[in-house]
Amino acid sequence: MAERGDIDRVREGTDLVELISEVTKVKRSGRSFMAVCPFHEEKTPSMSVDRVRGLYHCFGCGKGGDVFSFVQETQGIDFGDALEQLARRAGITLVRDPADARRRGRRGEAVEAIRQAIEIYHQRLKTAPEAGPARAYLRGRGYGVEVIDAWKLGFAATDWDTLTRELKAAGVDEKVLIDAGLSRRGPKGVYDVFRGRLMFPIHDLRGDAVGFGGRKVEGIDRTWVNNPDAKYVNSADSMVYHKSQVLFGLDRARREITDDRPAVIVEGCTDVIAMHLAGVPTAVATCGTALGDGHFDLLRRFGEKVVLAFDSDEAGSKAALRGDELESPFRLDLDLRVAEMPDGLDPADLVQEGRGSELEKAVSGARPLLQRRIEHEVARHDLSEPDGRARALHAAAEQLKRVNDQIARREYSRFVARLIGVELETVEAAVEGQRPRRGGSTPQAAGPLDRMEAELMRVILSNPEGVPDVTVDDFADPRLRAGFGAVLASLGSVPAGAPVDISLVADPEIQSLLRSLAMDDRPLASGAEMLARVKERRLDREIDDLQRGLAQLDQESEAHSDNLRRLIALQREKRSTAKP
C-alpha cells in the first residue's frame, strides 16, 4: 500500500473538476460546480463538485466521494489501480513499502506466466494433432479461426507436465508457476493443472490474464486428463485469481454495458462467445462458482440492469442468488431479469442452429426475476378451484415475504392479486401471516435530519476560525452523533479554514451524509449562534423531563432533592448559554 503522504499528494495534485469533465458535462454553480451524474440517467445536473474540498456528491442517486472513488466507480478498478493512474496523470512518483512492492512483483510475474501459457495453449490448439477433436468441436459450434484468434482459445496437452516443462525452459520459476495456478507440486514433482482440455483464458477488469476455464472435449485421450468426468475445470483461487470477483468476458463486455444495454449472464464460456457472435456483446459468465454478491457488485459499476440467460427460466431463477435470497436485487439496486431461451436451448446451441437473432429478442424481452418466479409458482396450481387459488396464493406469498423493500413488495402484491384473481388485501394478509420474525419488528426508515443540528454540523465541516466548542452530547440525532464522532479526530489536525477530510470516514452511509452537508451551498449560519440554539433546546428538553419527574416524587425523598439540585443547575446553565 502506498504511504499516506503519497495518497494526499495525489489527491492535492488532481483537479477533480477537470477529472469529472472528462466523462460528463460540468458547469460552474456558485462556489461549486454542477455535473450531469454519470452514475444514473438524468437530464438536469444533480451532482455537486467541490474543487476545494476535492469531493463530489450526487443529490439524485447519492453517489459521491473523492478523486479516487470517482476513478474506481467509472472505470471499475480498485483503489490501488486508481491511485497509480491518478499519480501518472499528475506526474507523481509513488513510494511503496518493500513488502507491497514484492507482492506486486510476484503478481506481475504470475500474470506474465499466464500470458505465456495462453500463447502456448493457443498455438497447440491450432497445430497439434492431439487437439484435432477440440478443433472439430469448435467447428461444429460454428467457431472458425477468427473466433479462435479473437478469444485466444487454446488446448492443454494430455501429457502430465508439458506446459510446466515448456515454461521452465523459457525461464519461468516453479514458484511463479504455482502462484499463477498453472502447476501443482506432487510427490513426483511439479505437474500441469490443466491437461487434455479446450482452454478459455480468463481476464480481470484491467485486462490482465488471471486464469483459465478448461472444457472437456469428447474424443480426447483421457489417460492423464484431470477430473475427466467434469465438463468444466476452472483455475483455483490464487494470488491473481478470485473466482467470486471475476466474470468471464467482462473485460470485453464492460465497454458495451449501459443502462440501455444490460449485462447478460450465461452459463459457460462457449455461451459468452455465442452471445457476442449473435450481437449481444454484454454477455459474461461465472467461472466455476455460483453467482454471488461480488459478481453483482462488479456489474453494478457499469449498469443497473442484469439479465440471466440460462438454459431455462427455472435454472436461471435458481442460479440467480445463493440461498434463493430474492431480496438481493433490491438491496443491490439492480433490475435483475430472466430471459427465456427458445426451446430451452443454450445460446451456443442457438447460434449453432443459425438462430442467433432469437437471442437478442429473448434478452430484450427478459422479465423481472421475481415476476417470473411468481408466475412459475402460480402456474403449478389450478386457479379454477378455490383450493387451487389458496395454494397459489400461499406459494406466491412465500416469494413476496423475501422482499424487504416496502415499495417493491406492495407493487408485487398488486401483481399477485391480478394474477390469481383475489383482492390486494387478501395478498397482503397472506404475506403478513407468513413473514418470518427476526427478533422484533423491522426498524422504521430514518426520518429527516434535525434541522438545527444539521446546520451546526455544516458549520463544523467548514472548519471556520473560532469553531465553537462542540461535544458529541450536543447531537441528539444518532446519525449526526455518529458523524461528529467520525470527524472529531480530524478537527484538531487541520488548520482553521481547511476542509475536514471526509474521505477518511469508514462508514459509507455516514460519509455520504457528511458529504451532502459539506457540499450544501446555502450560506452558513454563525457557529456560536447555532451551538447556543442547539444547547438551549437540549436543556429545555432535560428541564421539562426533570420537572415532570419531580411532580411524581415525594418532596421529602432523597431522589427529589437530587433531581431538584440537577434542575437548578440546568436552569443556571441555560441562562448562561442564552447570554450574548
Side-chain angles (χ1 to χ4, degrees):
M1 185 67 183
E3 295 180 357
R4 183 73 211 179
D6 280 347
I7 296 172
D8 292 338
R9 283 195 302 130
V10 171
R11 181 186 286 112
E12 293 166 4
T14 303
D15 188 318
L16 180 60
V17 173
E18 290 183 4
L19 182 69
I20 293 179
S21 65
E22 292 175 3
V23 298
T24 189
K25 297 177 182 178
V26 181
K27 292 184 178 180
R28 180 179 287 277
S29 176
R31 69 180 179 88
S32 297
F33 295 81
M34 294 301 295
V36 175
C37 180
F39 304 114
H40 78 287
E41 188 174 346
E42 66 174 10
K43 295 181 179 179
T44 303
S46 63
M47 175 181 280
S48 177
V49 185
D50 191 322
R51 173 177 268 158
V52 176
R53 290 179 176 272
L55 296 174
Y56 66 93
H57 182 83
C58 178
F59 291 93
C61 68
K63 287 272 190 179
D66 58 8
V67 293
F68 302 111
S69 59
F70 186 79
V71 173
Q72 287 178 258
E73 290 284 349
T74 55
Q75 299 190 30
I77 59 180
D78 62 19
F79 177 82
D81 290 328
L83 175 62
E84 288 186 352
Q85 184 180 124
L86 289 172
R88 287 193 299 270
R89 188 178 186 273
I92 295 171
T93 301
L94 299 176
V95 179
R96 297 189 177 277
D97 62 62
D100 184 64
R102 285 194 297 272
R103 183 186 65 80
R104 286 184 173 266
R106 284 182 63 194
R107 184 188 190 281
E109 290 177 341
V111 169
E112 174 59 21
I114 295 172
R115 187 197 65 76
Q116 293 182 47
I118 290 174
E119 292 299 329
I120 292 173
Y121 288 147
H122 184 56
Q123 292 305 315
R124 181 167 288 114
L125 173 64
K126 297 174 73 172
T127 62
E130 67 174 342
R135 291 193 293 270
Y137 167 81
L138 292 172
R139 283 196 300 272
R141 284 292 190 182
Y143 302 160
V145 175
E146 68 283 355
V147 174
I148 292 173
D149 288 342
W151 290 84
K152 283 289 185 180
L153 304 185
F155 182 77
T158 55
D159 289 342
W160 185 249
D161 62 349
T162 301
L163 179 72
T164 300
R165 285 187 284 105
E166 288 191 43
L167 288 176
K168 286 175 68 175
V172 181
D173 189 88
E174 284 185 1
K175 284 186 177 180
V176 176
L177 294 175
I178 295 171
D179 282 345
L182 297 172
S183 305
R184 291 195 184 111
R185 188 180 300 281
K188 297 182 180 180
V190 179
Y191 62 94
D192 295 352
V193 168
F194 295 98
R195 302 183 300 280
R197 289 183 176 274
L198 178 61
M199 302 299 289
F200 297 83
I202 299 169
H203 297 79
D204 63 15
L205 280 177
R206 290 175 290 194
D208 288 344
V210 294
F212 291 94
R215 193 189 193 284
K216 174 182 176 181
V217 179
E218 296 301 329
I220 298 294
D221 180 7
R222 317 303 291 171
T223 304
W224 297 107
V225 172
N226 52 327
N227 199 2
D229 296 326
K231 182 177 180 180
Y232 274 99
V233 171
N234 294 273
S235 292
D237 279 356
S238 67
M239 72 171 347
V240 296
Y241 177 66
H242 306 283
K243 58 179 174 283
S244 64
Q245 300 170 18
V246 174
L247 288 164
F248 177 76
L250 185 56
D251 56 308
R252 298 166 182 254
R254 57 176 289 191
R255 291 181 284 272
E256 305 291 339
I257 298 171
T258 65
D259 288 337
D260 297 325
R261 300 185 75 183
V264 180
I265 303 178
V266 294
E267 286 191 275
C269 300
T270 55
D271 292 328
V272 171
I273 297 174
M275 280 286 194
H276 282 244
L277 293 176
V280 186
T282 60
V284 297
T286 56
C287 306
T289 186
L291 277 170
D293 288 349
H295 299 121
F296 290 120
D297 284 337
L298 276 176
L299 295 174
R300 189 177 52 179
R301 299 179 188 180
F302 309 106
E304 295 182 351
K305 185 183 291 185
V306 175
V307 174
L308 303 168
F310 292 84
D311 294 357
S312 69
D313 59 281
E314 178 64 10
S317 298
K318 287 185 176 179
L321 302 166
R322 284 195 303 266
D324 203 21
E325 297 174 354
L326 296 179
E327 72 272 16
S328 288
F330 305 105
R331 179 172 54 78
L332 292 170
D333 295 327
L334 283 176
D335 179 0
L336 189 56
R337 295 171 175 257
V338 175
E340 296 183 37
M341 292 294 97
D343 301 329
L345 297 175
D346 62 35
D349 290 332
L350 289 167
V351 170
Q352 184 179 356
E353 294 182 6
R355 300 167 62 185
S357 60
E358 296 180 43
L359 289 174
E360 287 188 272
K361 185 177 180 181
V363 170
S364 62
R367 287 184 290 175
L369 170 66
L370 183 55
Q371 177 183 334
R372 191 64 195 93
R373 289 300 303 272
I374 291 172
E375 290 173 338
H376 177 79
E377 291 294 332
V378 170
R380 296 168 53 204
H381 303 280
D382 185 355
L383 300 184
S384 66
E385 299 177 351
D387 183 67
R389 287 196 298 276
R391 291 180 182 276
L393 178 56
H394 285 298
E398 282 289 342
Q399 302 298 326
L400 292 177
K401 73 179 182 180
R402 305 175 192 272
V403 182
N404 287 332
D405 183 278
Q406 297 289 336
I407 297 174
R409 187 189 299 129
R410 178 78 173 180
E411 290 304 310
Y412 272 107
S413 294
R414 295 181 191 277
F415 170 72
V416 170
R418 293 192 300 269
L419 187 65
I420 299 178
V422 296
E423 297 294 328
L424 173 62
E425 291 75 12
T426 304
V427 177
E428 291 179 331
V431 176
E432 289 294 330
Q434 295 186 39
R435 190 175 306 150
R437 302 299 176 186
R438 300 180 181 179
S441 58
T442 303
Q444 295 297 312
L449 292 172
D450 181 276
R451 187 180 61 81
M452 282 197 287
E453 292 182 9
E455 289 302 302
L456 177 59
M457 181 61 78
R458 287 184 62 222
V459 173
I460 292 169
L461 293 175
S462 71
N463 196 24
E465 190 78 42
V467 65
D469 187 16
V470 183
T471 70
V472 70
D473 292 332
D474 292 317
F475 294 98
D477 190 304
R479 294 160 294 181
L480 292 172
R481 285 175 68 94
F484 179 77
V487 299
L488 182 59
S490 300
L491 292 175
S493 61
V494 292
V500 177
D501 191 354
I502 298 171
S503 67
L504 296 176
V505 177
D507 189 310
E509 292 186 9
I510 296 300
Q511 185 184 117
S512 178
L513 168 67
L514 296 178
R515 192 169 55 240
S516 65
L517 291 174
M519 300 183 70
D520 189 332
D521 269 344
R522 290 179 297 111
L524 287 168
S526 161
E529 178 184 345
M530 290 308 305
L531 179 60
R533 291 173 63 184
V534 167
K535 284 184 177 293
E536 183 177 2
R537 190 183 59 176
R538 174 173 61 81
L539 290 170
D540 282 340
R541 285 198 297 264
E542 292 184 27
I543 288 171
D544 288 343
D545 289 343
L546 276 173
Q547 287 176 332
R548 284 194 297 270
L550 283 170
Q552 307 298 320
L553 295 174
D554 182 354
Q555 294 187 11
E556 303 298 326
S557 67
E558 184 176 346
H560 186 279
S561 299
D562 291 342
N563 282 1
L564 183 59
R565 282 193 294 272
R566 174 62 180 155
L567 176 61
I568 294 171
L570 287 174
Q571 290 172 332
R572 187 181 299 118
E573 184 180 353
K574 179 183 175 182
R575 287 193 295 272
S576 173
T577 302
K579 289 181 180 180

